[in-house]
């Protein structure tokens, strides 16, 4: 039987064959010590607040170290999300890193010669920029995007930042294929996992230091389509979005696209961290105690470019704009309901720049009578998956893919 090791659910079964749950937890704990190594080798940084860029209230809703884009801020914009309104998801705070002293370090038993963390293979910023590049239009989306609707629509209690739908953005990312970097570093045929790690501060939760953010990827996925990106929408990466270099892992949950990339462990054995054991699994009723397999692909979502609880004039034709996207590939169609789901109508749409970005659509609506309305938008992706009325519950509120009920008032 063919094994698609770019699918984490399949790959998790491979891991399970060689690593027990107790071993996973042991390796996760061991990773805490590993994360503390080489902190003295981090590039110099200046102290900042949690987020560097301006966060005007007309563009963002701020949750401490995180900032959610308001969807009405995308109305009239182009295909990609402007940098000034791209959402920010930080575990700690945005570091300021000097590109001149920065190095990308690769090490581990999955590289020829097994270079160590103390004596790694290194790439400078200029060396990376000197390698053949490519540009990819892709969305990056927080795994908890839409989390608040578990509570407001499904009346279920979840834990985490109460995002609506604004923890997502599409950018034009330019960089070098991770496959090329691994090849230059001397990837061994025995390599099975890589562990990219960021240069942000160590993450402490519940009094426990989990180290710097890191999450393993199967080598098969790393070689498939992952980008080591240094530009965003034609500009060098801004600090909040990963300067000098970040990963872009198309169609996967945002935690995989590590920002402020500092080093990559390449291993001939499975790797684990709190970000694929303790977090970014589905927990709750119907799931085993250790949770589901680590989450990878995103679900299908749709959003109106309209203020929440907007007021629209009766007796006028309004052009409703929005966007739909899916981790399964292209969006095949989008349907709109203006009567709470009693009837559905197909939206008009433009182009979709590849299978890793989103589809822009529009729908003409002329409400004749004042009152309260609920607008619905549901996408169908090329795998035939239609957004459902309800999302499967999990306690951490991940992967909310149900149709969102967008309230408006007609006056």
């Amino acid at each position: 039987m063919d094994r698609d090791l770019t699918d984490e659910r399949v790959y998790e079964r491979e891991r399970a064959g060689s690593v027990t749950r107790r071993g996973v937890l042991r390796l996760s704990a061991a990773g805490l010590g590993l994360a503390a190594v080489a902190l003295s080798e981090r590039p110099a940084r200046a102290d900042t607040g949690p987020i560097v860029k301006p966060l005007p209230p007309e563009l963002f809703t701020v949750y401490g170290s995180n900032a959610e884009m308001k969807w009405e801020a995308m109305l009239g914009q182009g295909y990609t999300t402007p940098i000034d309104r791209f959402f920010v998801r930080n575990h700690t705070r945005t570091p300021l890193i000097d590109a001149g002293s920065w190095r990308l370090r690769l090490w581990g038993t999955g590289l020829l010669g097994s270079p160590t963390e103390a004596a790694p293979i290194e790439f400078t910023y200029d060396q990376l920029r000197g390698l053949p590049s490519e540009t990819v239009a892709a969305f990056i989306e927080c795994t908890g995007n839409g989390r608040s609707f578990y509570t407001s629509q499904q009346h279920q209690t979840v834990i985490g930042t109460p995002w609506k739908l604004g923890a997502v953005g599409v950018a034009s990312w330019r960089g070098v294929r991770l496959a090329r970097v691994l090849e230059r570093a001397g990837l061994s045929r025995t390599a099975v996992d890589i562990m990219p790690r960021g240069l942000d501060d160590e993450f402490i939760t519940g009094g426990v230091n989990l180290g710097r953010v890191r999450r393993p990827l199967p080598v098969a996925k790393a070689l498939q389509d992952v980008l080591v990106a240094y530009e965003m929408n034609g500009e060098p990466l801004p600090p909040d979005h990963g300067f000098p270099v970040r990963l872009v892992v198309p169609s996967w949950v945002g935690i995989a696209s590590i920002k402020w990339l500092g080093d990559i462990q390449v291993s001939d054995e499975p790797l684990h961290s709190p970000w694929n054991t303790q977090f970014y699994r589905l927990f709750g009723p119907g799931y085993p105690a250790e949770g589901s397999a680590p989450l990878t692909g995103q679900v299908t979502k749709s959003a109106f470019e309209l203020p929440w609880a907007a007021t629209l004039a009766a007796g006028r034709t309004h052009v409703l704009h929005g966007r739909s996207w899916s981790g399964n590939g292209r969006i095949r169609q989008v349907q709109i309901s203006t009567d709470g789901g009693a009837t559905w109508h197909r939206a008009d749409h433009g182009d979709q720049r590849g299978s890793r970005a989103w589809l822009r659509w529009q729908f003409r609506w002329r409400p004749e009578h004042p009152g309260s309305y609920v607008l619905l938008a549901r996408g169908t992706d090329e795998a035939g998956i239609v957004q459902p009325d309800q999302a499967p519950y999990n306690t951490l509120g991940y992967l909310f893919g149900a149709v969102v009920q967008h309230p408006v008032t007609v006056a």
Side-chain angles (χ1 to χ4, degrees):
M1 178 184 296
D2 292 338
R3 297 172 303 151
D4 179 10
L5 297 186
T6 66
D7 185 329
E8 189 78 7
R9 291 166 297 183
V10 176
Y11 187 54
E12 180 68 5
R13 292 197 291 270
E14 297 292 313
R15 295 176 196 243
S18 59
V19 182
T20 64
R21 174 62 180 165
R22 180 176 297 175
V24 168
L25 295 176
R26 185 176 64 250
L27 285 168
S28 297
L32 305 186
L34 177 120
V37 179
L39 281 178
S40 61
E41 301 173 4
R42 292 178 58 187
R45 56 155 287 165
D47 288 335
T48 67
I51 298 173
V52 172
K53 70 182 181 182
L55 301 171
E58 65 271 20
L59 299 184
F60 292 101
T61 300
V62 179
Y63 306 103
S65 62
N66 303 316
E68 175 176 8
M69 178 194 73
K70 292 185 175 180
W71 265 98
E72 60 266 32
M74 285 303 295
L75 184 63
Q77 302 300 316
Y79 188 84
T80 57
T81 307
I83 291 173
D84 70 343
R85 59 204 68 193
F86 206 100
F87 84 101
V88 179
R89 168 65 169 106
N90 286 351
H91 279 79
T92 55
R93 58 179 177 170
T94 295
L96 297 182
I97 299 172
D98 173 31
S101 60
W102 173 87
R103 299 291 184 271
L104 175 59
R105 298 176 167 91
L106 292 94
W107 56 280
T109 56
L111 295 175
L112 298 176
S114 298
T116 65
E117 189 174 9
I121 306 295
E122 294 188 343
F123 293 87
T124 68
Y125 185 66
D126 288 341
Q127 285 173 332
L128 278 180
R129 292 186 66 94
L131 295 175
S133 67
E134 66 177 66
T135 301
V136 173
F139 71 81
I140 289 181
E141 180 181 15
C142 179
T143 321
N145 195 27
R147 178 183 283 122
S148 68
F149 299 113
Y150 279 108
T151 301
S152 63
Q153 288 190 190
Q154 300 185 184
H155 310 293
Q156 296 165 324
T157 300
V158 293
I159 301 169
T161 301
W163 307 105
K164 286 189 170 67
L165 287 175
V168 64
V170 168
S172 179
W173 309 99
R174 179 170 176 253
V176 57
R177 281 284 188 112
L178 178 56
R180 187 179 296 274
V181 174
L182 291 171
E183 177 187 3
R184 291 290 183 99
L187 184 66
S188 168
R189 291 184 178 180
T190 63
V192 296
D193 264 8
I194 71 164
M195 179 91 81
R197 182 169 49 169
L199 287 167
D200 44 341
D201 289 341
E202 295 172 327
F203 178 59
I204 300 173
T205 181
V208 179
N209 187 338
L210 299 183
R212 288 185 280 140
V213 176
R214 61 205 183 280
R215 190 174 193 261
L217 284 173
V219 164
K221 176 63 176 178
L223 297 179
Q224 183 184 57
D225 58 358
V226 178
L227 197 68
V228 181
Y230 45 74
E231 285 186 8
M232 177 183 186
N233 293 346
E235 300 180 16
L237 287 174
D240 293 307
H241 302 295
F243 183 83
V245 165
R246 71 173 299 161
L247 284 191
V248 174
V249 184
S251 302
W252 277 31
V253 292
I255 185 61
S257 294
I258 296 292
K259 297 193 287 186
W260 315 295
L261 185 62
D263 71 303
I264 301 175
Q265 181 185 1
V266 185
S267 177
D268 59 6
E269 295 182 352
L271 296 173
H272 302 84
S273 87
W275 285 270
N276 78 327
T277 56
Q278 184 175 339
F279 309 114
Y280 301 100
R281 293 176 177 241
L282 301 179
F283 296 95
Y287 297 105
E290 68 273 18
S292 69
L295 301 177
T296 53
Q298 282 284 8
V299 295
T300 306
K301 292 189 180 74
S302 301
F304 287 95
E305 296 172 0
L306 190 66
W308 196 254
T311 298
L312 304 175
R316 292 180 52 188
T317 298
H318 302 273
V319 181
L320 306 177
H321 295 266
R323 308 185 188 219
S324 299
W325 62 98
S326 174
N328 297 310
R330 294 177 183 271
I331 296 295
R332 193 171 68 197
Q333 73 168 5
V334 178
Q335 296 171 298
I336 307 298
S337 175
T338 60
D339 54 13
T343 59
W344 293 88
H345 308 276
R346 190 161 182 165
D348 297 322
H349 59 79
D351 63 326
Q352 184 171 356
R353 297 183 185 176
S355 60
R356 305 157 180 168
W358 51 26
L359 181 74
R360 292 188 293 176
W361 45 261
Q362 61 183 34
F363 182 77
R364 298 174 69 85
W365 180 43
R366 184 182 177 89
E368 298 294 347
H369 305 290
S372 298
Y373 292 79
V374 174
L375 303 181
L376 308 176
R378 69 181 181 193
T380 302
D381 63 35
E382 62 183 355
I385 297 174
V386 183
Q387 288 184 252
D389 294 331
Q390 281 214 333
Y393 173 67
N394 67 95
T395 57
L396 295 179
Y398 293 139
L399 301 183
F400 186 91
V403 175
V404 169
Q405 301 166 11
H406 193 121
V408 298
T409 297
V410 174

